[in-house]
């Protein structure tokens, strides 16, 4: 009696849904450091930033969002509002709000943020701290009651 037309059937069959673990923090006003960029030193910025190049040193990006793109290779300690990693990072990551490791992320370092998201496929070798407190200078791992030492590779 009620029969779907062929176009309605095919539209229903091709619909798929993939849940996003968290919103992508990069706004339309983000600056992009391209894949051919090589930078050594201390990086500061006043807007959302996407890094696709190579950075060595330190990145201080408080109050703004930082994304390490799939081609990004970072050897630096990073501090930002929200840090999203899709590329490779060697260094400690401290997020004021969150640290997000996408499926393509490769991180060797410690994560510290009130919220940490690790997608399937991401690789992490380091400590995870969700206490929201800044690391104490001269801290000893044996005194640490709230952080966990992990080496994590999600099934992909």
């Amino acid at each position: 009696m009620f029969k779907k037309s062929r176009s309605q059937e095919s539209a229903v069959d091709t619909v798929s849904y993939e849940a996003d673990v968290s919103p992508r923090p990069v706004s339309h006003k983000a600056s992009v450091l391209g894949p051919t960029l090589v930078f050594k030193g201390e990086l500061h910025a006043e807007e959302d930033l996407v890094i696709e190049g190579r950075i060595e040193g330190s990145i201080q990006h408080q109050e703004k969002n930082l994304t390490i793109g799939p081609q990004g290779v970072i050897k630096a300690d990073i501090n930002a509002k929200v840090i999203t990693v899709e590329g490779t990072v060697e260094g400690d990551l401290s997020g004021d709000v969150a640290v997000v490791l996408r499926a393509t992320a490769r991180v060797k370092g410690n994560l510290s943020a009130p919220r940490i998201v690790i997608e399937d496929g991401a690789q992490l070798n380091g400590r995870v701290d969700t206490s929201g407190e800044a690391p104490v200078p001269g801290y000893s791992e044996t005194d640490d009651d709230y952080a966990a030492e992990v080496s994590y590779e999600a099934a992909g």
Side-chain angles (χ1 to χ4, degrees):
M1 176 174 236
F2 294 101
K3 186 170 181 178
K4 291 182 183 178
S5 71
R6 227 172 226 253
S7 62
Q8 287 174 322
E9 285 178 9
S10 64
V12 172
D13 292 340
T14 61
V15 174
S16 65
Y17 175 77
E18 183 177 317
D20 195 4
V21 177
S22 65
R24 300 211 186 257
V26 179
S27 74
H28 65 281
K29 296 180 183 178
S31 295
V32 178
L33 301 178
T36 61
L37 175 86
V38 176
F39 178 86
K40 291 184 182 185
E42 194 171 308
L43 179 63
H44 297 272
E46 296 296 323
E47 65 267 304
D48 290 347
L49 184 62
V50 177
I51 300 174
E52 291 286 356
R54 298 178 66 87
I55 307 286
E56 288 186 33
S58 69
I59 301 172
Q60 296 298 315
H61 202 66
Q62 275 116 344
E63 303 303 319
K64 297 297 176 181
N65 300 318
L66 175 69
T67 299
I68 310 304
Q71 296 179 58
V73 177
I74 310 300
K75 288 187 179 182
D77 290 336
I78 301 171
N79 187 309
K81 181 177 176 183
V82 175
I83 303 168
T84 302
V85 180
E86 298 173 343
T88 302
V89 176
E90 184 176 323
D92 294 341
L93 286 75
S94 178
D96 297 332
V97 173
V99 173
V100 179
L101 303 185
R102 298 287 180 202
T104 56
R106 306 293 176 256
V107 177
K108 183 177 182 182
N110 302 318
L111 308 182
S112 175
R115 180 172 179 224
I116 294 176
V117 177
I118 303 174
E119 289 184 352
D120 285 346
Q123 293 180 5
L124 169 64
N125 185 353
R127 293 177 42 250
V128 173
D129 176 2
T130 59
S131 70
E133 298 174 9
V136 177
Y139 136 90
S140 167
E141 283 188 23
T142 58
D143 297 334
D144 192 3
D145 293 333
Y146 57 85
E149 182 80 24
V150 297
S151 182
Y152 177 83
E153 183 174 347

